[in-house]
């Protein structure tokens, strides 16, 4: 049994910053990739950023240059630093982790609201 718990969401004005955290717990052998996805009202869930165990990163074009994903391997934690937030960044942000021998799991989500 593994669990992902996100934190750090909230309400911020356009141009502001937020830092999301996602901590994995439970019986963890190792984690391959971790990432952040978001879902805006009435839209499908979309990739925001991912990071591999080796530190390789991938970003959605819409967040490149504004968001930075990072990871603390020993703490089984992934972060998303979000700068220059825009109203279109509003949504529920979900953490995802690909656990070795267990597979992919999702967190419960954290709300990010950017006001104009």
């Amino acid at each position: 049994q593994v669990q992902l718990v996100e934190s750090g969401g909230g309400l911020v004005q356009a141009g502001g910053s937020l830092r999301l955290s996602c901590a994995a717990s439970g019986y963890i052998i190792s984690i391959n990739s971790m990432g952040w996805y978001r879902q805006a009202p009435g839209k499908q869930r979309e990739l925001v950023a991912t990071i591999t165990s080796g530190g390789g990163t991938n970003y959605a074009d819409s967040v490149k240059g504004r968001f930075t994903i990072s990871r603390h391997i020993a703490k089984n934690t992934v972060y998303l630093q979000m700068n220059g937030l825009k109203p279109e960044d509003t949504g529920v942000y979900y953490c995802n982790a690909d656990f070795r021998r267990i597979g992919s799991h999702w967190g419960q989500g954290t709300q990010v609201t950017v006001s104009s």
Side-chain angles (χ1 to χ4, degrees):
Q1 187 78 11
V2 294
Q3 187 178 16
L4 294 169
V5 178
E6 300 109 330
S7 61
L11 173 64
V12 65
Q13 289 187 335
S17 298
L18 284 173
R19 188 187 192 219
L20 305 183
S21 299
C22 171
S25 62
Y27 183 69
I28 300 171
I29 299 173
S30 64
I31 303 175
N32 298 319
S33 63
M34 300 185 80
W36 291 95
Y37 295 72
R38 67 187 180 190
Q39 188 166 16
K43 295 187 177 181
Q44 290 187 331
R45 191 174 299 187
E46 63 177 3
L47 179 146
V48 176
T50 60
I51 185 167
T52 67
S53 57
T57 59
N58 181 48
Y59 294 93
D61 288 342
S62 59
V63 306
K64 285 180 180 177
R66 299 189 296 124
F67 292 9
T68 302
I69 189 170
S70 60
R71 182 173 171 180
H72 195 302
I73 299 292
K75 293 183 178 180
N76 292 319
T77 300
V78 64
Y79 307 95
L80 185 68
Q81 178 67 43
M82 305 186 292
N83 299 327
L85 282 161
K86 304 176 181 180
E88 51 264 44
D89 294 318
T90 294
V92 179
Y93 282 67
Y94 296 92
C95 174
N96 178 271
D98 180 25
F99 295 92
R100 184 183 174 191
R101 297 185 184 175
I102 298 175
S104 178
H105 275 65
W106 294 91
Q108 81 286 353
T110 184
Q111 177 70 44
V112 171
T113 303
V114 184
S115 63
S116 57

